Amino acid sequence: MTASLEQLRRCHFAVDLGAARTRVYVKGAGLVVDQPSTAAVNTRTGALMAVGEFAEKMTGRTPDYIRVVRPVSGGTVVDIEMAQRMLRQLIGDRMRRTLRRRPRLRAAACVPHDADPLAQRAAIETLVGLGARRVELVDTLIAAAVGCGLPVERPEATMIMVCGAAATQVAVLSLGAIVTAERVPVGGEAVDNAIVQHLRHQHELMLPSQSVRPLQLALHGNGLTPQGPESTEIHGRDVATGLARSVRVDTAAVRRAIQRPLTAVLDGIGKVLRECPPDLVADLVDRGIMMVGGSALLPGFDQMLRQATGMPVHIAERPELCAVQGLGEMLEGRIAPIVLDPLRA
């Protein structure tokens, strides 16, 4: 599924279609798009009302005839036509005209590690609709590892964990390829849902859709550890009366609610380590786990993993951009291929 470096050097632009955000890298221009994977549509006329940040702000605030949609789910395109329309608006007419002037326009795209042929085809069709004559697919794990500077081409183990909005992918890499990997259907959205359900059941409070992330940030500092803040005030709507209400929430209970879905992530890490060759596991004792993806910034998540695994855990410098930066490094030809000297008789 991962294209060769020579094929990627011929590509003119790369797209990282994520469940939360869409990022576009243009060769020679750098990162030109970093917007939420959201579009607002007028259901009466079919017209596209807004995309990106503006459409994200419209979530839960629109009249009946405007629908806010997400054409990407879990790194897989679920609505090809809407994804194409969203990308056209995000890239803009000027950049689109510049790309179309390239002879035999080529594109690259990130796809999840276990993407089935139908998901791969959806990613290809989406970029073909933008004018690409050929589309190269790159495993998200490989792209993210390259983007955060891991020595993936060496004969030694590196472990990476891509914490996405809809899923978490864990893999051990060596010699530029994936040795063993696991995809866990738990991501930032599952953590958000755990917080929403906890407040609904324990405090009879409904949160606005824009308030879940600020609540996670309220667990700043040590976050998931007992050294975090004791309580925080939350504003929402009463389930019974429908009136606005504020409650003071015990953050220890919120931390317990968050830890439940994250247990599946720990199980996924354990499964990858069990299936990994012993020689590579020995390398990981010192190097540990590299966390990338937007959900890697959940306060205290790295400390929880460190305590559970006994291994060093590191967060990339800009974890949310690692995958698209890795694609950019490959497009620009900054990654040297492995050269093996032939054995001489």
Side-chain angles (χ1 to χ4, degrees):
M1 182 171 62
T2 297
S4 68
L5 290 174
E6 185 60 35
Q7 291 171 329
L8 289 171
R9 287 194 191 98
R10 298 175 184 173
C11 293
H12 302 98
F13 72 102
V15 178
D16 177 18
L17 278 168
R21 299 185 74 86
T22 293
R23 299 176 176 94
V24 180
Y25 185 101
V26 176
K27 191 173 184 178
L31 186 65
V32 297
V33 173
D34 183 5
Q35 294 281 339
S37 304
T38 311
V41 185
N42 187 325
T43 57
R44 295 174 180 172
T45 63
L48 199 62
M49 305 291 294
V51 295
E53 295 281 0
F54 189 34
E56 182 83 3
K57 293 177 181 177
M58 294 169 66
T59 303
R61 302 171 184 269
T62 61
D64 293 340
Y65 65 91
I66 296 179
R67 186 165 57 98
V68 178
V69 297
R70 293 182 176 272
V72 184
S73 175
T76 301
V77 179
V78 293
D79 187 339
I80 296 175
E81 182 184 357
M82 187 55 64
Q84 290 174 349
R85 296 175 68 185
M86 181 185 72
L87 278 172
R88 289 192 193 102
Q89 292 297 320
L90 290 176
I91 293 175
D93 293 337
R94 182 176 177 182
M95 183 60 70
R96 214 163 62 244
R97 285 195 298 267
T98 302
L99 290 174
R100 284 184 177 275
R101 284 197 289 266
R102 306 285 179 90
R104 293 193 59 83
L105 183 65
R106 290 173 176 248
C110 278
V111 289
H113 172 67
D114 60 348
D116 56 32
L118 191 61
Q120 296 178 32
R121 189 66 188 171
I124 293 173
E125 289 293 334
T126 300
L127 297 188
V128 167
L130 295 178
R133 301 289 296 277
R134 183 182 175 92
V135 179
E136 308 292 349
L137 299 182
V138 182
D139 198 304
T140 302
L141 292 165
I142 298 290
V146 171
C148 64
L150 290 179
V152 295
E153 73 283 354
R154 297 180 186 174
E156 52 194 38
T158 54
M159 191 170 189
I160 187 167
M161 186 169 73
V162 180
C163 308
T168 300
Q169 302 177 71
V170 187
V172 174
L173 311 176
S174 181
L175 286 173
I178 296 172
V179 178
T180 179
E182 181 71 15
R183 184 175 184 269
V184 183
V186 172
E189 292 176 353
V191 174
D192 292 346
N193 187 61
I195 296 175
V196 169
Q197 293 302 319
H198 169 76
L199 293 176
R200 185 183 181 94
H201 294 154
Q202 300 298 323
H203 299 277
E204 297 182 347
L205 191 74
M206 291 183 64
L207 284 182
S209 58
Q210 308 291 336
S211 298
V212 178
R213 290 298 177 181
L215 176 57
Q216 291 182 9
L217 295 178
L219 305 174
H220 63 279
N222 294 315
L224 300 178
T225 63
Q227 289 75 31
E230 293 184 0
S231 63
T232 183
E233 188 174 2
I234 304 299
H235 306 282
R237 188 182 73 182
D238 190 277
V239 173
T241 65
L243 300 177
R245 185 162 64 92
S246 298
V247 297
R248 183 156 289 276
V249 179
D250 180 14
T251 53
V254 176
R255 284 192 292 269
R256 287 193 295 272
I258 291 176
Q259 284 179 336
R260 292 190 186 102
L262 295 182
T263 303
V265 177
L266 297 177
D267 294 340
I269 294 174
K271 183 176 180 180
V272 169
L273 292 175
R274 286 193 300 272
E275 296 177 353
C276 188
D279 291 341
L280 295 181
V281 175
D283 292 343
L284 297 175
V285 173
D286 296 327
R287 293 189 179 87
I289 306 171
M290 176 65 74
M291 297 176 63
V292 302
S295 299
L297 298 174
L298 182 65
F301 191 15
D302 56 332
Q303 297 182 37
M304 190 190 79
L305 292 179
R306 197 174 295 117
Q307 293 172 1
T309 62
M311 298 166 58
V313 178
H314 314 282
I315 301 178
E317 185 175 350
R318 297 193 67 184
E320 69 279 5
L321 298 180
C322 284
V324 72
Q325 285 177 344
L327 286 174
E329 295 284 326
M330 297 176 190
L331 262 63
E332 303 287 358
R334 297 177 188 146
I335 306 299
I338 303 171
V339 179
L340 300 177
D341 294 330
L343 295 176
R344 295 181 180 179

